């Protein structure tokens, strides 16, 4: 888990730097003050979900396989609720928010899936 947190922190810092560059140089009119909080939300959610999935994989790989689809579903519901609430509150910035949300979702999900795949492969070998 420690290596995962280090990698996750590195990715989050890289996204923060890229976001700062994009919003300060290329598209300052689309800057969202909520972006740092959105990044923190994804960081914490990914860490929590990964921790839960690792515990499930260590207990029983069969149970992990069955619960993985439910975890993915609830994660999508959680992110959708965040999107709907934000769009209801700030309709003017809905498009930049949805684009940021989708990019963060894709980046963090890709990272999470590759890391959990590595962890479950090593758990299956044991």
């Amino acid at each position: 888990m420690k290596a995962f947190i280090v990698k996750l922190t590195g990715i989050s810092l890289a996204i923060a730097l890229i976001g700062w560059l994009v919003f300060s140089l290329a598209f300052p009119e689309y800057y969202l003050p909520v972006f740092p909080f959105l990044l923190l939300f994804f960081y914490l959610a990914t860490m929590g979900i990964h921790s839960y999935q690792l515990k499930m994989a260590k207990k029983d790989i069969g149970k992990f396989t069955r619960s993985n689809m439910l975890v993915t579903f609830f994660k999508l519901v959680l992110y959708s609720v965040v999107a709907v609430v934000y769009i209801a509150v700030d309709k003017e910035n809905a498009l930049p928010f949805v684009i940021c949300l989708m990019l963060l979702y894709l980046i963090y999900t890709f990272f999470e899936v590759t890391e959990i795949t590595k962890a479950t492969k090593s758990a299956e070998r044991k």
Side-chain angles (χ1 to χ4, degrees):
M1 188 68 186
K2 186 177 180 181
F4 177 80
I5 293 172
V6 169
K7 290 178 188 177
L8 182 64
T9 302
I11 287 173
S12 297
L13 290 174
I15 293 170
L17 177 64
I18 292 168
W20 175 74
L21 289 171
V22 167
F23 287 126
S24 65
L25 301 175
F27 303 108
E29 65 274 9
Y30 293 113
Y31 176 71
L32 298 170
V34 74
F35 180 72
F37 299 106
L38 189 61
L39 190 58
L40 179 64
F41 171 71
F42 271 89
Y43 178 83
L44 294 174
T46 301
M47 190 184 317
I49 290 167
H50 185 76
S51 174
Y52 173 75
Q53 287 183 321
L54 276 181
K55 288 178 187 175
M56 293 299 289
K58 286 180 182 177
K59 285 182 183 176
D60 181 12
I61 197 69
K63 197 173 187 180
F64 164 77
T65 305
R66 290 187 299 270
S67 70
N68 191 36
M69 291 298 280
L70 282 174
V71 168
T72 303
F73 172 74
F74 286 121
K75 184 171 68 168
L76 283 171
V77 168
L78 176 66
Y79 295 155
S80 297
V81 167
V82 168
V84 168
V85 167
Y86 185 84
I87 291 168
V89 171
D90 187 7
K91 292 178 180 146
E92 185 177 313
N93 293 316
L95 185 61
F97 179 80
V98 169
I99 290 171
C100 286
L101 185 77
M102 289 295 296
L103 287 173
L104 289 174
Y105 174 78
L106 291 172
I107 293 167
Y108 280 99
T109 299
F110 179 78
F111 173 68
E112 183 183 351
V113 167
T114 56
E115 291 297 313
I116 202 69
T117 301
K118 290 177 193 175
T120 56
K121 282 185 181 179
S122 66
E124 288 175 349
R125 291 182 192 142
K126 291 180 182 179

